[in-house]
Amino acid sequence: MKRIFYTLPVFFFAFANWALAQEPLLSKEEAIDLTLQNNLGIQVARNTQRIDDNNANILNSGYLPSVTANGGGTIDRQNTEGTLGNGETRTADGVETRRYNASVNVNYTLFDGLGRHYNYKSFKERSQQSELEVQQTIETTILQLFTVYYEVARLTENTQNLESALGISKDRLSRAEYQFEYGQNTGLDVLNAEVDINTDSINLLNSRQQLRNTMRDLNLILNRELATTFAADTMVNFVSGLEMENMHNEAKDNNVRLQIAEKQLNINNYNLKSAKSVYLPTIGLTGTYGWNESNNNSPLAFVVQNTATGVTGGINLTWNLFDGGRSITNIKNTKINYETQELLQKQIALEVERDIRNAWDSYTNALYVLEVQEKNLQTNQDNFNRTDERYKLGQVTSIEFRQAQLNLLNAELAQSQAKYSAKLAELQMLQISGQLLNVEF
């Protein structure tokens, strides 16, 4: 019964391995393309940009005239009584008067103190700022994408390492059972091997569950069916030739947070100039083409029908000399907002400098840890190989063999963790320097 019991896990894990191998590979390039096309956060950011682009259009600038059309008609019924010059009195009941009118009016502002000029420039800056915000959203989403993608890759490697460890434990159990049958060891070695198989099986099941959960997290970023299964690319390539000084200079020139802050400072500057436009007058042109007609059936009326058409035009000047102080207060507050943005820009610049230095230190430290872990993995691999040979010869105990096996497994897991941590540290540094979207993944 023991052999039947352990055959089921063997079959289960063999089938799981076969199923995993059949999953289509989701390459890094494909993952990026799907994210750019489908991610909901990026789509929202792009819609916001479309609105800001519309606001920066000439149709929203105030430079174009306004044209309105008016039309109307009235009917008036009255009983009238009138006295003529000779003293004669005349009356008319139900006198009806019809009046009709139509007109086209044009209004155009020639000068408004340059307010619309600076408002238009502000809209243009906001449109460019919105484009930068889309870039920032894309960078943040791409970094999130690879954080989850590399976690899928890490769990994939962990699962494979745990499968290998389970296979070693199964071989050890078979060896212990044969040795027990021929009286070369006690039943304690068999029991220990069975316990270790159970432990390795549970660890493998947990790793597979974490892998499935993380795949769903990645599918959520890609905005596709959550149950979609795939295989991740476990190959990691690092960008060569990175230097701290270059990264620092790139961050000053290309960091998207700094660029957004600069655009906001420009917007506040234009808002301040626009607010000061109230000190100057507004000059406008008006023009009207109108038609009016009046019909009167009263016998007392001198004119029964009157029709008039014509064009009128004019120029007007409006100068707000004093509005109770509201404009002065608005200018003061706008100036304070500009000064505040200057302070925020300096703060962001300091934060970016700190972030790029911290990211560089984390990156170089992660590369060193990866190098150490790779050497440690090789050492533990050599140690396990020698221990395995000595175990077959009966020169080490099962406990010593198990310890060597666990040391190898822990070294494999640590090396995998170090590899992906180093890559993520590199991506974070590239994001801060504004180079994330310019490199091969």
Side-chain angles (χ1 to χ4, degrees):
M1 291 296 294
K2 259 185 201 178
R3 290 190 180 276
I4 295 176
F5 176 76
Y6 287 110
T7 299
L8 292 176
V10 172
F11 173 78
F12 171 78
F13 289 119
F15 175 79
N17 292 340
W18 176 84
L20 184 63
Q22 304 303 310
E23 299 299 341
L25 175 66
L26 177 65
S27 66
K28 302 180 185 70
E29 293 75 14
E30 183 182 359
I32 293 175
D33 292 340
L34 289 173
T35 301
L36 295 178
Q37 294 173 10
N38 302 332
N39 182 266
L40 297 178
I42 294 177
Q43 293 182 37
V44 170
R46 284 174 174 161
N47 282 343
T48 301
Q49 181 188 2
R50 291 171 59 192
I51 293 175
D52 291 326
D53 289 344
N54 290 336
N55 290 336
N57 191 276
I58 189 67
L59 297 176
N60 191 48
S61 64
Y63 280 108
L64 300 179
S66 63
V67 180
T68 60
N70 299 314
T74 61
I75 298 178
D76 184 13
R77 284 181 175 274
Q78 294 183 358
N79 298 325
T80 61
E81 179 179 326
T83 302
L84 300 179
N86 58 8
E88 181 183 357
T89 301
R90 294 182 181 181
T91 61
D93 296 333
V95 174
E96 184 178 278
T97 303
R98 296 175 180 266
R99 298 182 181 89
Y100 307 97
N101 65 85
S103 64
V104 177
N105 306 297
V106 179
N107 292 280
Y108 183 68
T109 301
L110 287 177
F111 180 75
D112 67 343
L114 298 179
R116 63 183 175 182
H117 172 73
Y118 292 118
N119 286 336
Y120 187 53
K121 284 183 172 293
S122 177
F123 286 140
K124 286 291 187 182
E125 289 290 325
R126 174 54 197 158
S127 177
Q128 296 172 11
Q129 185 187 53
S130 182
E131 183 178 352
L132 290 171
E133 289 173 350
V134 171
Q135 178 184 338
Q136 185 181 45
T137 302
I138 291 175
E139 288 182 356
T140 302
T141 305
I142 292 298
L143 185 61
Q144 181 188 18
L145 166 70
F146 278 105
T147 299
V148 181
Y149 185 93
Y150 284 131
E151 180 65 9
V152 172
R154 186 186 71 84
L155 290 171
T156 299
E157 289 189 347
N158 286 0
T159 301
Q160 294 171 350
N161 292 329
L162 290 170
E163 290 168 353
S164 177
L166 180 59
I168 293 173
S169 296
K170 292 173 182 176
D171 291 340
R172 174 184 154 207
L173 175 60
S174 299
R175 188 180 301 118
E177 288 177 336
Y178 284 124
Q179 290 175 345
F180 177 71
E181 291 178 2
Y182 289 97
Q184 296 179 358
N185 63 12
T186 64
L188 183 60
D189 287 338
V190 176
L191 294 177
N192 287 337
E194 291 176 352
V195 171
D196 292 338
I197 281 183
N198 291 334
T199 300
D200 293 343
S201 299
I202 292 173
N203 292 337
L204 181 56
L205 286 173
N206 290 335
S207 179
R208 287 189 178 280
Q209 181 61 50
Q210 292 176 2
L211 178 58
R212 289 193 295 270
N213 292 345
T214 310
M215 282 184 176
R216 296 187 188 100
D217 293 338
L218 188 60
N219 287 329
L220 180 63
I221 297 175
L222 301 178
N223 188 26
R224 63 178 186 176
E225 178 59 41
L226 297 180
T228 303
T229 57
F230 56 91
D233 184 4
T234 58
M235 179 66 67
V236 172
N237 297 315
F238 292 93
V239 179
S240 60
L242 296 181
E243 296 180 0
M244 175 57 199
E245 184 177 357
N246 291 339
M247 289 294 100
H248 188 263
N249 294 333
E250 291 288 350
K252 287 183 177 180
D253 296 335
N254 301 315
N255 181 270
V256 69
R257 286 187 64 203
L258 284 175
Q259 293 178 359
I260 291 175
E262 182 180 358
K263 291 297 180 183
Q264 187 60 51
L265 185 64
N266 294 339
I267 291 173
N268 287 2
N269 182 39
Y270 289 134
N271 290 341
L272 178 59
K273 293 180 178 180
S274 177
K276 291 181 178 179
S277 67
V278 297
Y279 290 145
L280 299 176
T282 299
I283 302 174
L285 294 177
T286 61
T288 302
Y289 175 81
W291 168 80
N292 293 275
E293 180 179 300
S294 175
N295 295 312
N296 191 336
N297 64 356
S298 172
L300 302 178
F302 292 101
V303 179
V304 177
Q305 179 174 345
N306 181 33
T307 302
T309 59
V311 178
T312 60
I315 184 170
N316 56 70
L317 183 148
T318 303
W319 200 333
N320 189 1
L321 298 178
F322 185 69
D323 61 355
R326 288 188 297 271
S327 297
I328 296 175
T329 302
N330 182 50
I331 292 174
K332 288 181 178 180
N333 291 338
T334 306
K335 186 180 296 184
I336 293 173
N337 288 334
Y338 179 79
E339 295 172 353
T340 300
Q341 186 59 37
E342 285 184 315
L343 297 174
L344 291 175
Q345 188 176 26
K346 293 179 181 179
Q347 181 181 359
I348 292 175
L350 289 174
E351 291 176 352
V352 169
E353 183 174 359
R354 176 206 60 190
D355 292 344
I356 192 63
R357 294 184 184 277
N358 290 346
W360 176 262
D361 288 344
S362 299
Y363 170 66
T364 53
N365 182 72
L367 288 180
Y368 175 75
V369 171
L370 174 59
E371 182 181 358
V372 172
Q373 291 294 354
E374 287 176 342
K375 292 179 180 178
N376 185 51
L377 174 59
Q378 185 60 50
T379 300
N380 279 278
Q381 184 66 60
D382 295 340
N383 177 66
F384 175 76
N385 292 338
R386 289 193 294 268
T387 302
D388 186 38
E389 293 175 358
R390 297 179 61 192
Y391 180 69
K392 292 177 181 178
L393 297 175
Q395 296 177 355
V396 297
T397 64
S398 61
I399 295 177
E400 293 173 323
F401 177 84
R402 177 62 175 178
Q403 187 59 52
Q405 179 190 8
L406 292 178
N407 290 342
L408 174 60
L409 176 61
N410 291 333
E412 290 172 337
L413 299 181
Q415 185 272 343
S416 179
Q417 178 69 57
K419 178 175 66 173
Y420 295 112
S421 295
K423 185 59 180 179
L424 289 176
E426 179 188 84
L427 295 181
Q428 290 170 351
M429 182 180 61
L430 291 172
Q431 180 194 25
I432 297 172
S433 66
Q435 300 299 310
L436 182 62
L437 304 180
N438 301 327
V439 298
E440 296 292 334
F441 294 94

